[in-house]
C-alpha cells in the first residue's frame, strides 16, 4: 500500500470514529432530554394535582373491599379515568396520610367524579365519605 492509500484510510477511519461519537452524543442528549421532561411531568403531577376532566365531569362508583391494597385502588382509579398517574397517586397518598397504619383503607362504595383532583379523591377515601354518606346529606 502506498503512502496516499494509508493516509486516505487514516482520514476515513477518523471521520467514521468522529461520526460514531457524534451519533452516540446525540442519542445521549435525546435520552437526557426525554428523561428530564418525563421527570418534570411526573413531579408536576405529584405536587400539583389536577382533575382529569373539567366540570361537571362524570360520576363513577368505586367499590373498595375490606382487604384491598392501596396499589390496587390506584390501578383501578387510573383505569377508570379518575387519576392520570397511579404512581403519582401513591406518592400523594403518603403526603395526605392515606392507606397507612393511622388511616387505613376503608371499605365501601364511593361516588367519585372525573372533575375531582387526586387530592380531593384521597381525602374523600381517607375520611371514608361513602356514597351512603353523600345520599344522607342530600336527603337532609
Amino acid at each position: 500500500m502506498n503512502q496516499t492509500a494509508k493516509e486516505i484510510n487514516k482520514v476515513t477511519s477518523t471521520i467514521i470514529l468522529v461520526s460514531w461519537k457524534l451519533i452516540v452524543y446525540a442519542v445521549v442528549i435525546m435520552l437526557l432530554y426525554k428523561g428530564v421532561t418525563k421527570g418534570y411531568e411526573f413531579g408536576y403531577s405529584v405536587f400539583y394535582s389536577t382533575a382529569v376532566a373539567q366540570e361537571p365531569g362524570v360520576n363513577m362508583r368505586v367499590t373498595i373491599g375490606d382487604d384491598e391494597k392501596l396499589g390496587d385502588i390506584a390501578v383501578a382509579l387510573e383505569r377508570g379515568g379518575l387519576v392520570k398517574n397511579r404512581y403519582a397517586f401513591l406518592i400523594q397518598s403518603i403526603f395526605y396520610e392515606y392507606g397507612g397504619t393511622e388511616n387505613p383503607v376503608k371499605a365501601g362504595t364511593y361516588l367519585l367524579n372525573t372533575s375531582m383532583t387526586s387530592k380531593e379523591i384521597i381525602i374523600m377515601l381517607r375520611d371514608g365519605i361513602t356514597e351512603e354518606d353523600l345520599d344522607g346529606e342530600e336527603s337532609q
Side-chain angles (χ1 to χ4, degrees):
M1 225 196 253
N2 62 16
Q3 186 66 21
T4 308
K6 286 181 182 178
E7 290 202 18
I8 290 174
N9 284 341
K10 187 177 178 182
V11 170
T12 305
S13 297
T14 304
I15 290 172
I16 291 172
L17 181 66
V18 169
S19 298
W20 277 111
K21 284 183 179 181
L22 288 174
I23 290 170
V24 168
Y25 291 148
V27 168
V28 168
I29 288 171
M30 285 183 351
L31 289 174
L32 282 173
Y33 175 77
K34 245 345 192 180
V36 167
T37 55
K38 290 292 182 183
Y40 175 80
E41 288 172 13
F42 180 74
Y44 187 82
S45 67
V46 168
F47 294 107
Y48 184 77
S49 62
T50 57
V52 174
Q54 296 290 328
E55 291 281 342
V58 177
N59 286 331
M60 301 180 113
R61 286 181 176 78
V62 176
T63 302
I64 297 175
D66 288 327
D67 57 348
E68 195 123 19
K69 303 266 188 261
L70 188 57
D72 298 332
I73 295 168
V75 169
L77 292 175
E78 183 181 46
R79 285 187 184 153
L82 290 163
V83 295
K84 293 179 184 177
N85 187 318
R86 66 178 145 208
Y87 302 112
F89 178 83
L90 289 171
I91 292 172
Q92 288 173 336
S93 297
I94 294 169
F95 293 151
Y96 297 113
E97 299 175 353
Y98 171 62
T101 54
E102 293 181 20
N103 293 308
V105 173
K106 296 175 184 164
T109 300
Y110 296 88
L111 184 62
L112 304 175
N113 192 295
T114 56
S115 66
M116 297 171 73
T117 65
S118 53
K119 177 183 177 181
E120 293 169 331
I121 292 172
I122 290 170
I123 291 172
M124 195 170 205
L125 296 175
R126 181 190 69 195
D127 295 343
I129 303 170
T130 62
E131 185 177 18
E132 294 81 28
D133 296 333
L134 294 173
D135 289 341
E137 288 177 9
E138 289 174 3
S139 64
Q140 291 178 358

